Amino acid sequence: MIARYLPRLIFVLSCLLAVCASAQPSASGAPPTPAWLAARVGVGDGEIAAPVLDRARALYYQKRSQGTISNPCYFAMDATRPNGTAGDNSGGRFYVICEADRTFRVVSSGHGSGRNLKGVVDFSNGRMCARNFGNAMDSNLTAGGAYLTSETKTSFKGYYRVPGKADVPFSRTFVQFDGEGETANARQRAIGGHAAALVSGICRRKDPQNPYADREGYVAVGKLVDYSAGRSNGCTSWTQPDARQLITMMKDSPTTLYIYPESKDIAHVAAAVAEKRPLTQPGLYWNETCLKEIVAPRFWPKEKLEPLITEYQIDHPAPPPRPVPICPDP
């Protein structure tokens, strides 16, 4: 009689064990992914790829358990996806996840531009997709891995002209990131997050009573340039409205940011491409649209790239700074 029902008993016990296992925290210390968040996992617009979410959650809950952070929200970025404008959770590649109140938001974010050191080495990136990644000083490259948000600093960048109106002052807030492992030099590289906007084409206008005037009584005036659909100098850049909201979320309450891909991911994908293997195995994720554009990614370690950058800077010293012109009379 027992032998007759043994297969069914084994099946039931295996199911019970699976249910119990799913209710336990993962090896990373993160609790099981809630169903509402698991429904967001995917590779389409408004979705987050499984390895990106898994690593972002593991980092967040590790820092929570260590008492390093208490922010109810955390961030992730998938730098293998195309850059673009996001709205209503469509498109984008920067993720804002707040599990406590079950919210998930996707916004656009720029990637590092890289540089083309003519005659030495070219590690520049296109506007839509990033091919080159790295952690070298002065490389302007995105480095994937673990970050903690830190202090913020707001700096006045100048006035910008608005037709028919008074000039508007523009200040930009920068939030510093502290990295771990390959991203440990984030502070030295001045890597952080800020709005993708600047004041360009600056001239100096005499206004000695202005609180932003320099020692000679001049203020900077120019044109406001929004480059949110472009590239950054290696930082994480957002549209101005998104930057205001995101920086408010992390100001005085640090949290985690995980940026994919790391160097190991880049190496695995590049090897698979070289061997013409499909990216269907675990650990071989890359956005399909961008992979078609870049063909294969590349990671530039600082040990290899920094000497090349130093050599180029020695051979091509920066020209002496030119005096900022005086603004013409209105």
Side-chain angles (χ1 to χ4, degrees):
M1 180 69 69
I2 295 177
R4 178 181 176 184
Y5 291 101
L6 187 58
R8 181 173 294 182
L9 287 171
I10 293 174
F11 174 77
V12 171
L13 286 173
S14 65
C15 291
L16 289 173
L17 288 172
V19 170
C20 291
S22 66
Q24 298 299 316
S26 67
S28 67
T33 305
W36 69 268
L37 183 54
R40 300 285 191 176
V41 174
V43 295
D45 287 347
E47 296 179 330
I48 184 170
V52 182
L53 177 61
D54 291 344
R55 295 183 194 179
R57 296 186 80 242
L59 175 64
Y60 174 70
Y61 282 102
Q62 177 193 41
K63 298 304 180 183
R64 281 283 299 263
S65 66
Q66 294 172 349
T68 306
I69 60 171
S70 59
N71 197 308
C73 303
Y74 58 95
F75 307 117
M77 179 179 174
D78 182 355
T80 75
R81 292 179 62 93
N83 188 18
T85 302
D88 299 326
N89 278 2
S90 63
R93 54 180 169 179
F94 189 89
Y95 304 92
V96 184
I97 305 168
C98 307
E99 295 189 21
D101 59 7
R102 298 165 56 111
T103 58
F104 176 89
R105 186 179 173 216
V106 189
V107 302
S108 62
S109 177
H111 58 265
S113 62
R115 298 175 64 185
N116 182 3
L117 308 183
K118 295 182 179 180
V120 179
V121 63
D122 182 1
F123 49 93
S124 58
N125 282 319
R127 186 176 296 273
M128 185 60 66
C129 296
R131 177 181 185 269
N132 297 295
F133 299 82
N135 58 354
M137 293 288 293
D138 300 320
S139 66
N140 293 353
L141 289 173
T142 296
Y147 295 91
L148 278 173
T149 66
S150 189
E151 76 275 8
T152 61
K153 178 182 179 180
T154 300
S155 302
F156 173 70
K157 300 298 183 181
Y159 282 85
Y160 65 93
R161 295 188 175 94
V162 177
K165 298 182 180 180
D167 293 342
V168 180
F170 177 70
S171 295
R172 191 175 74 177
T173 299
F174 173 83
V175 55
Q176 176 68 55
F177 295 163
D178 286 318
E180 301 178 353
E182 289 180 344
T183 66
N185 62 346
R187 187 171 288 269
Q188 289 73 26
R189 293 184 64 205
I191 297 297
H194 56 77
L198 54 81
V199 178
S200 180
I202 289 177
C203 62
R204 298 195 303 161
R205 184 186 67 199
K206 193 72 172 180
D207 190 357
Q209 303 304 315
N210 193 298
Y212 295 116
D214 61 19
R215 292 180 179 179
E216 298 177 340
Y218 288 94
V219 294
V221 182
K223 177 183 179 182
L224 186 65
V225 176
D226 185 312
Y227 59 95
S228 55
R231 295 154 292 180
S232 72
N233 59 357
C235 291
T236 302
S237 56
W238 311 287
T239 66
Q240 293 184 71
D242 288 336
R244 284 192 290 269
Q245 184 178 38
L246 293 173
I247 293 175
T248 297
M249 291 176 64
M250 63 185 88
K251 186 177 182 181
D252 302 323
S253 184
T255 190
T256 56
L257 164 63
Y258 179 78
I259 298 180
Y260 183 95
E262 299 180 41
S263 63
K264 62 182 179 181
D265 305 305
I266 296 168
H268 292 160
V269 170
V273 171
E275 298 166 7
K276 299 183 179 180
R277 290 186 283 120
L279 303 187
T280 55
Q281 299 175 354
L284 289 180
Y285 164 70
W286 204 275
N287 177 267
E288 184 177 358
T289 299
C290 276
L291 191 60
K292 288 180 180 178
E293 178 176 315
I294 67 172
V295 181
R298 182 170 182 178
F299 180 82
W300 299 81
K302 63 181 181 179
E303 295 79 8
K304 179 176 182 178
L305 193 54
E306 285 182 359
L308 298 177
I309 296 175
T310 300
E311 174 190 344
Y312 182 85
Q313 291 173 337
I314 292 174
D315 294 339
H316 301 80
R322 294 181 178 180
V324 180
I326 304 300
C327 297
D329 293 333

